[in-house]
């Protein structure tokens, strides 16, 4: 009843809405407007659901209606916030009256010129934000409206240089993840979106356009890239992310166009008048294409190819594809067991739908085109087109590396990674597995063949040509080569099994080291309701993670391949060194070469490694370049050396590129520079040490015949002197403790808080030994105190130190306990006779403790030979320390006797007893 008497806070919005001729501007000026929208004010919702009000709101956003004074900035912002608020009736009204509201809204924005749009960034941001909210609330209806607009893709790409339009395009592409957005990628593909984006990378476009388009393309590539465990939970809704655009980008036409941009000639520079270029600087920007736009086109085109290779490693994608298809078919099969109708057709349809969404991104066209253009790239690497002369820096004039050369070097490293993929090293008889668009073809039987090629790529099987002719057991072509389980055990949690129950398993290893059993048994067809389904012979438990026997398979394959050289490889190199085992046997390098071997042959012919090493030492302070060169050398040294052109690349690295000579010369150059006044180490020394370490490790594991070949190109005795001298010294410094050791109390300074760093202390008892001895010798409280003190030291997790018996301060917890016990014995002479009699009667409270009273060597030596104990360390101090450490060890009689020690009159009582 209180509201009748005005005891409530009346809403200002309600007061304004009570007026008949209220204007929209008056409501937009109200400070509580957005708060009332969040509170779902009913009268306000009804007001904003009117078509005439929404027309004015959209007019403020597009600039058709301009406010005065502060309203010119406030009204578009507030109108955007109202349209993006949680008032669903606004979206419904806009879509129901799209001809009056949304169509003029889109046409007003898209019909603007691109130059005008660059000056209307705020309006473009509001436009993209409103449409993104509408897409999230009503995706199907909003997508249908966008598709109905004439030439909407071309008109949107005209403003793509404005970042909000690129964000809106990404939001439209992401609708593919929702069931309501099914078909959006097919529509955009029919509109040739990817090819139109590639056209915008031409040198005739501005550098800003290149940057925005390149970022958009790389974002599209990464959205569809499979993660290590992506296929374990996908596939039940709209399916996993489609990589249609990545496959279109890897098409030969797209790669050829990008390569033409990379190799495009620079336009002639404009004629300069006068001695200086001041007049030209004041002139307008030269027309496109110019040197800046051409350089940007080259750099961004290379970046797109690099990103395409990095995000689409077939060694990861094929196991991901196999697992995703398998999980989807198992799910469909489980549904068909309840509804037994035309099972084969349903499985084939599910297989076709998944294959159309997920096709392998075949990077063969990338390698083929780059192999043909490698000589041109080498020419531009030595003489970059974008070079403008030395650049003045604080250390003098320096020749810049240029982005052009840096990206070419990065492209070389990624091409070498690409050449090691199993897909690009398979014989031609497997070409039928995928069609021109990268889709798996062959239906359900293709899944079996995919499992076989994955096993070959993992090195667990041999190709038919390399198998023993006497082998009688040939795997049937109609069965999946997966491990079969009991026919009654049907596990529905095969996805959980793939996550890896072993402590050392990881998703990355499961994706890159997938092993599939080649032993399969035939199941009876009589017990299955779907006799035509190939999956009925393999329950979900049998189609669980085939990596469960990975360790056993590795050991068998390692023992069978006696000619191959097993060498330790880093996790980064395992990605690039997955090769078909059949390719490892090409010692004679005869016959038609696969793409991976052709690229390495071209690298060897054009002497790529030598060119990169030249740049490595020519630019001693560019660590970005050093990382790329090290990556390429690391790939070569950790690759297979039992055959193929990787062996020849390894030999060429020492023979043609003179790697060992370069390492020694670079080290000597660093010594000269460091010896100068205020000299510092050169910037490449860190990577040079890493390269030296890889060389030394590789030489240790190379077969003897390969070591003999490399030894012919090693500078002796300079190399041995470098390894035993400078390299060993550098590694020793790198492995030493950063702080120089742990801090310890100096001997003889027990009473003073003076510390020093014991640099000679190189070992101590391990944690397990220390805990075991402390459990036998001391109590829990004392052990916790000692461990806390040791953990609080500046040891930084160094290697356990060995105890020094001669240093009492290096003793572990038992020594510390005996030290306190000995101190208690030594302080007994300061107590009075009545205390001594109590000690005689009780046998000493230390008799009830767990401390061993046998004196350690350090304590006895100090007592007999050392100086007298300082009078400041009285028995009361030692006793107080013991009480604080563990008062529960004292007997009740002794505890009662020592109560005066903690009183305020303990000093007076002590003087009386003395």
């Amino acid at each position: 009843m209180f509201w009748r008497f005005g005891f409530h806070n009346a809403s200002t919005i309600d007061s304004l809405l009570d007026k008949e001729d209220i204007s929209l501007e008056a409501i937009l000026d109200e400070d509580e407007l957005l708060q009332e929208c969040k509170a779902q004010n009913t009268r306000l919702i009804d007001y904003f659901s009117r078509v005439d009000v929404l027309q004015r709101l959209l007019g403020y956003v597009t600039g058709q209606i301009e406010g005065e004074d502060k309203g010119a900035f406030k009204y578009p912002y507030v109108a955007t916030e109202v349209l993006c608020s949680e008032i669903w009736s606004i979206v419904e009204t806009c879509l129901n009256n799209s001809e009056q509201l949304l169509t003029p809204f889109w046409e007003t924005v898209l019909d603007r010129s691109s130059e005008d749009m660059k000056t209307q960034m705020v309006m473009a941001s509001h436009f993209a934000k409103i449409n993104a909210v509408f897409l999230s609330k009503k995706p199907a209806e909003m997508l249908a409206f966008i598709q109905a607009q004439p030439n909407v893709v071309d008109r949107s790409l005209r403003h793509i240089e404005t970042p909000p339009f690129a964000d809106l395009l990404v939001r439209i592409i992401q609708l593919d993840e929702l069931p309501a957005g099914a078909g959006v990628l097919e529509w955009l593909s029919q509109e040739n979106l990817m090819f139109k984006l590639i056209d915008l990378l031409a040198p005739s476009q501005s550098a800003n356009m290149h940057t925005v388009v390149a970022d958009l393309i790389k974002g599209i590539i990464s959205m569809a890239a499979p993660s290590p465990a992506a296929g374990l939970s996908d596939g039940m809704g709209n399916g996993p992310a489609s990589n249609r655009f990545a496959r279109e980008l890897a098409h030969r036409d797209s790669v050829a166009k990008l390569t033409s941009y990379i190799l495009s000639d620079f336009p002639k520079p404009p004629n300069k008048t006068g001695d200086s270029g001041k007049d030209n600087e004041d002139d307008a920007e030269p027309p496109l294409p110019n040197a800046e736009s051409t350089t940007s086109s080259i750099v961004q085109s290379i970046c797109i190819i690099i990103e395409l290779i990095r995000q689409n490693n077939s060694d990861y994608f094929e196991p991901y594809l196999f697992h995703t298809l398998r999980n989807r078919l198992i799910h469909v099969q489980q549904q068909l067991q309840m509804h037994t109708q035309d099972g084969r057709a349903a499985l084939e349809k599910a297989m076709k739908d998944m294959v159309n969404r997920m096709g392998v991104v075949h990077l063969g066209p990338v390698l083929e085109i780059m192999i043909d253009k490698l000589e041109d790239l080498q020419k531009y690497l030595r003489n970059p087109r974008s070079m403008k002369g030395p650049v003045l820096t604080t250390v003098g004039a320096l020749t810049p590396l240029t982005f052009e050369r840096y990206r070419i070097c990065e492209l070389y490293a990624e091409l070498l990674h690409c050449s090691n993929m199993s897909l690009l090293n398979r014989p031609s008889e497997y070409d039928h597995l995928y069609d021109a668009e990268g889709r798996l073809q062959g239906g359900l039987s293709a899944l079996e063949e995919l499992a076989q090629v994955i096993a070959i790529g993992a090195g667990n099987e041999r190709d038919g040509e390399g198998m023993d002719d006497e082998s009688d057991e040939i795997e049937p072509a109609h069965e999946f080569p997966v491990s079969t389980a009991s026919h009654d055990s049907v596990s529905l949690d095969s996805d959980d099994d793939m996550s890896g129950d072993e402590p050392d398993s990881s998703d990355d290893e499961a994706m890159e080291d997938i092993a599939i059993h080649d032993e399969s048994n035939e199941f009876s067809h009589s017990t299955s309701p779907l006799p035509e389904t190939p999956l009925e012979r393999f329950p979900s438990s049998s189609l669980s993670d085939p990596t469960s026997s990975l360790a056993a398979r590795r050991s068998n394959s390692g023992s069978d391949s006696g000619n191959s050289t097993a060498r330790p490889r880093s996790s980064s190199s395992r990605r690039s060194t997955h090769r078909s085992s059949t390719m490892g046997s090409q010692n004679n390098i005869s016959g038609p070469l696969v793409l991976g071997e052709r690229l390495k042959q071209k690298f060897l012919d054009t002497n790529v490694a030598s060119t990169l090493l030249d740049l490595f030492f020519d630019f001693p302070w560019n660590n970005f370049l050093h990382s790329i060169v090290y990556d390429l050398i690391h790939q070569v040294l950790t690759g297979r050396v039992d055959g193929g052109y990787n062996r020849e690349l390894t030999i060429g690295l020492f023979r043609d590129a003179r790697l060992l000579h370069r390492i020694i010369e670079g080290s000597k150059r660093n010594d000269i520079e460091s010896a100068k006044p205020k000299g510092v180490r050169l910037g490449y020394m860190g990577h040079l040490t890493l390269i030296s370490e890889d060389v030394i490790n590789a030489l240790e594991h190379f077969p003897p015949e390969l070591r003999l070949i490399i030894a012919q190109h090693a500078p002796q005795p300079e190399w041995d002197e470098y390894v035993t001298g400078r390299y060993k010294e550098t590694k020793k410094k790198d492995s030493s403790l950063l702080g120089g050791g742990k801090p310890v109390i100096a001997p003889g300074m027990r009473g003073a808080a003076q510390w020093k760093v014991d640099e000679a202390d190189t070992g101590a008892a391990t944690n397990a030994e220390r805990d075991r001895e402390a459990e036998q010798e001391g109590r829990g409280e004392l052990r916790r105190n000692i461990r806390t003190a040791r953990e609080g030291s500046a040891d930084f997790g160094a290697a356990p130190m060995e105890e020094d018996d001669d240093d009492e301060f290096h003793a572990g917890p038992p020594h510390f306990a005996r030290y306190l016990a000995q101190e208690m014995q030594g302080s007994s002479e300061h107590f009075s006779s009545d205390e001594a009699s109590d000690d005689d009667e009780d046998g000493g409270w230390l008799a009830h403790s767990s401390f061993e009273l046998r004196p350690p060597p350090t304590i006895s030596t100090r007592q007999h030979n050392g100086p007298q104990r300082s009078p400041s360390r009285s028995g009361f101090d030692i006793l107080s320390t013991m009480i604080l450490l563990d008062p529960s060890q004292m007997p009740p009689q002794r505890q009662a006797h020592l109560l005066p020690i903690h009183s305020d009159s303990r000093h007076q009582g002590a003087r009386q007893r003395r």
Side-chain angles (χ1 to χ4, degrees), residues 319-483:
Y320 165 77
L321 177 64
F322 174 80
H323 286 312
T324 307
L325 293 176
R326 182 206 62 179
N327 294 341
R328 181 62 174 174
L329 293 177
I330 291 175
H331 177 74
V332 174
Q333 185 187 25
Q334 291 169 353
Q335 292 180 341
L336 292 176
Q337 289 176 357
M338 296 179 291
H339 310 283
T340 57
Q341 52 180 359
D342 199 9
R344 178 81 183 190
L347 287 175
E348 290 285 359
K349 183 179 182 302
M351 180 79 172
K352 182 179 180 181
D353 294 341
M354 293 292 294
V355 165
N356 288 335
R357 290 186 57 84
M358 299 175 55
V360 64
V361 180
H362 202 297
L363 298 174
V366 177
L367 284 190
E368 289 180 357
I369 295 177
M370 289 301 167
I371 287 172
D372 297 335
K373 304 298 182 181
L374 199 59
E375 294 180 355
D376 295 332
L377 293 175
Q378 281 287 92
K379 179 180 64 176
Y380 295 136
L381 192 60
R382 298 187 181 96
N383 301 302
R385 296 157 290 179
S386 57
M387 177 71 70
K388 297 181 181 179
V391 177
L392 296 178
T393 64
T394 55
V395 295
L398 295 179
T399 302
L401 177 66
T402 70
F403 270 110
E404 178 186 358
R405 289 201 287 192
Y406 171 73
R407 293 302 182 187
I408 292 177
C409 295
E410 194 174 13
L411 177 63
Y412 282 172
E414 292 304 323
L415 288 176
L416 187 57
H417 278 294
C418 183
S419 69
N420 288 314
M421 297 180 186
S422 301
L423 181 62
L424 302 175
N425 288 278
R426 289 176 190 157
S428 58
E429 55 261 28
Y430 293 104
D431 293 345
H432 67 278
L433 194 59
Y434 302 101
D435 61 7
E437 297 183 5
R439 295 174 299 190
L440 187 68
Q441 53 183 352
L444 292 175
S445 60
L447 191 60
E448 173 190 359
E449 194 167 2
L450 176 62
Q452 292 177 354
V453 297
I454 291 175
I456 294 176
N460 296 322
E461 290 184 359
R462 293 183 178 273
D463 186 58
E465 297 178 359
M467 295 179 62
D468 188 2
D469 297 335
E470 299 178 358
S471 176
D472 296 330
E473 296 181 0
I474 300 178
E475 189 174 18
H478 62 277
E479 294 186 357
F480 291 131
V482 293
S483 59

Side-chain angles (χ1 to χ4, degrees), residues 684-881:
Y684 58 66
M685 283 306 298
H687 289 91
L688 192 67
T689 304
L690 294 177
I691 294 175
S692 302
E693 185 176 4
D694 279 356
V695 169
I696 294 173
N697 292 336
L699 292 176
E700 291 177 356
H701 297 89
F702 280 163
E705 64 276 6
L706 183 58
R707 284 202 301 266
L708 291 177
I709 298 175
I710 295 176
Q712 301 175 4
H713 310 287
Q716 293 294 355
E718 290 84 358
W719 174 251
D720 292 339
E721 294 175 355
Y722 167 76
V723 173
T724 57
R726 177 62 63 189
Y727 171 78
K728 185 177 181 181
E729 178 184 350
T730 303
K731 295 300 294 183
K732 182 178 180 181
K733 290 181 180 179
D734 293 344
S735 60
S736 62
L737 295 177
L738 186 61
K742 66 177 183 179
V744 295
I745 303 177
M749 302 298 294
R750 296 179 293 105
Q754 297 185 7
W755 298 79
K756 75 171 185 176
V757 176
D758 187 4
E759 298 180 354
D761 187 11
T762 59
T766 61
N767 293 335
E769 294 175 353
R770 184 174 61 195
D771 292 342
R772 184 168 58 254
E773 292 178 1
E775 184 177 0
Q776 296 176 357
E777 299 284 343
R779 294 297 182 94
E781 184 68 23
L782 181 60
R783 184 171 67 251
R784 287 194 297 270
N785 293 335
I786 296 172
R787 182 180 291 116
T788 303
R790 292 177 63 87
E791 290 176 354
S793 64
D795 202 350
F796 301 116
M801 305 297 182
E802 297 180 359
E803 292 188 4
D804 190 358
D805 295 336
D806 297 336
D807 191 353
E808 62 184 70
F809 300 100
H810 292 177
H815 297 249
F816 183 68
R818 291 195 295 270
Y819 164 74
L820 291 178
Q822 187 67 26
E823 288 292 337
M824 286 300 303
Q825 282 187 347
S827 63
S828 61
E829 59 185 15
H830 296 282
F831 292 99
S832 58
S833 59
D834 55 346
E835 292 178 346
S837 63
D838 292 337
D839 291 341
D840 295 336
E841 295 174 359
D842 298 335
W845 65 272
L846 284 176
H848 299 274
S849 67
S850 61
F851 294 36
E852 295 186 8
L853 298 182
R854 54 186 180 86
T858 56
I859 301 298
S860 60
T861 304
R862 182 189 57 77
Q863 282 187 343
H864 294 289
N865 301 332
Q868 294 293 331
R869 183 165 41 88
S870 172
S872 63
R873 298 293 297 255
S874 63
F876 297 103
D877 296 332
I878 303 301
L879 189 58
S880 300
T881 303

